[in-house]
Amino acid sequence: MTKIRKAVLPVAGLGTRVLPATKSIPKEMLPVFDRPAIQYVVDEALEAGIEHIVFVTGRNKAAIEDYFDSAYELEATLEAKNKADILEEVRATCPKAGSMSFVRQQAPLGLGHAIWCARDIIGEDPFAILLPDVLIQGKPGCLAQMVEVYEQTNSNVIAVDPVPADEVNKYGVIDPIERQGAMIRMRGMVEKPPVANAPSNLAITGRYILKGEIFRFLEDQAAGAGGEIQLTDAMARLMAQQDFYAVEFDGTPYDCGSKLGYLRATVGMALHHLALGDTARDVIKSVL
Ligand code: UTP
């Protein structure tokens, strides 16, 4: 079985729901407590054994590339000032040389198109996709849990999270066939189904492991909902030929793509911070 070595992180979206904060800063660089949102997602990928990350970027996203680089002057200053702890943290953000690539999506034509832009770097092997809008707190991380299911099934895998039954009409949900623990064989996906006839309450949550054949479908995928080239449309075509499993992961997802979701993510990550979590709890209580 081919190991999952590469991951695509699409970061070319415009982030209109969190404007004006994202007017001159990529939303992926907004701090969630003590680090940029994107750092949590990169850490989740590395923990799952990913060796190479492909960012699909767009205009105004240069700050992401700079963040994952060495910062010579800053490091020299911290060293001169004997700030060893901070220096170590700053250096830890710099990846192994050659382990990150950046490709441009010249126009935001949709998530499916963004993933397709990574095709030459990914090649034919199965790979992971992590939407950096969604931060997931969990030990092991969500992608590590998915890799385990991939290794058991050698199939496409997507992450799902249960949502209240009367809210399924806000989500894309899966159509399950059978369940074995957290692993669910599935036959389809439905975007925003009416509450009365939704096939499940298991919402698709921004993490995927897909076989390389997805690129064949993305190649000629017509625009779908919102006039954008949708990843889910191409996945539905792949599903007609290959098995798909969903994983109901153990963890808490935070949707950072909206203002209130971002607030929730910040509070959640602060409360779970290893060194500062307890103090953060006191600070939050004092504000309330
Ligand atoms: P979203 O639609 O949630 O992100 O896309 P957005 O477009 O940045 O957000 P709003 O709606 O304007 O506030 C989900 C993911 O797909 C990426 C986004 O960067 C995000 O990570 N994406 C979306 C692209 O990379 N390119 C696109 O053309 C569309």
Side-chain angles (χ1 to χ4, degrees), residues 10-17 27-28 105 108-111 114 131-133 257:
V11 294
L14 299 177
T16 50
R17 282 168 296 156
K27 72 174 163 187
E28 299 77 12
Q105 184 192 25
L109 300 180
L111 175 59
L131 302 194
D133 275 1

Side-chain angles (χ1 to χ4, degrees), residues 8 10 56 105 109-120 122-123 127 129 208 210-224 228-238:
V8 180
V56 181
Q105 184 192 25
L109 300 180
L111 175 59
H113 181 261
I115 302 303
W116 181 73
C117 290
R119 67 198 180 281
D120 286 348
I122 295 296
F127 65 103
I129 300 171
Y208 313 81
L210 297 177
K211 299 281 184 90
E213 285 83 4
I214 192 71
F215 290 117
R216 269 197 250 135
F217 295 106
L218 287 171
E219 177 93 29
D220 62 2
Q221 185 61 53
E228 295 195 338
I229 297 171
Q230 299 288 353
L231 178 64
T232 41
D233 292 344
M235 280 186 351
R237 290 164 70 200
L238 181 60

Side-chain angles (χ1 to χ4, degrees), residues 37-54:
I38 193 84
Q39 179 77 62
Y40 293 94
V41 183
V42 166
D43 287 346
E44 182 187 333
L46 298 179
E47 186 216 6
I50 296 297
E51 295 163 17
H52 192 105
I53 293 180
V54 185

Side-chain angles (χ1 to χ4, degrees), residues 199-214:
S200 76
N201 69 332
L202 296 170
I204 299 167
T205 314
R207 301 288 185 269
Y208 313 81
I209 292 174
L210 297 177
K211 299 281 184 90
E213 285 83 4
I214 192 71

Side-chain angles (χ1 to χ4, degrees), residues 54-211:
V54 185
F55 290 92
V56 181
T57 73
R59 272 182 292 284
N60 297 329
K61 300 283 180 169
I64 300 176
E65 209 163 332
D66 290 342
Y67 178 79
F68 291 111
D69 194 2
S70 70
Y72 177 76
E73 284 173 9
L74 174 64
E75 289 173 30
T77 309
L78 292 172
E79 202 155 20
K81 292 190 170 190
N82 284 323
K83 304 221 168 187
D85 288 0
I86 309 174
L87 180 61
E88 198 184 321
E89 273 194 68
V90 167
R91 283 196 173 138
T93 62
C94 188
K96 192 169 146 205
S99 65
M100 284 185 176
S101 303
F102 296 81
V103 290
R104 280 273 181 136
Q105 184 192 25
Q106 287 94 341
L109 300 180
L111 175 59
H113 181 261
I115 302 303
W116 181 73
C117 290
R119 67 198 180 281
D120 286 348
I121 304 176
I122 295 296
E124 303 194 336
D125 289 347
F127 65 103
I129 300 171
L130 297 95
L131 302 194
D133 275 1
V134 184
L135 307 188
I136 302 181
Q137 211 160 43
K139 251 316 118 275
C142 177
L143 188 63
Q145 296 174 43
M146 294 169 70
V147 166
E148 216 172 279
V149 171
Y150 165 78
E151 285 171 353
Q152 274 178 53
T153 61
N154 193 14
S155 297
N156 300 278
V157 180
I158 65 177
V160 293
D161 185 51
V163 294
D166 58 351
E167 289 180 22
V168 284
N169 53 350
K170 296 184 199 155
Y171 299 90
V173 298
I174 63 154
D175 186 354
I177 304 173
E178 63 179 13
R179 185 183 187 106
Q180 210 186 318
M183 184 168 104
I184 302 152
R185 202 150 72 81
M186 54 181 280
R187 70 182 126 225
M189 298 163 299
V190 191
E191 196 51 44
K192 303 191 170 108
V195 170
N197 51 11
S200 76
N201 69 332
L202 296 170
I204 299 167
T205 314
R207 301 288 185 269
Y208 313 81
I209 292 174
L210 297 177
K211 299 281 184 90

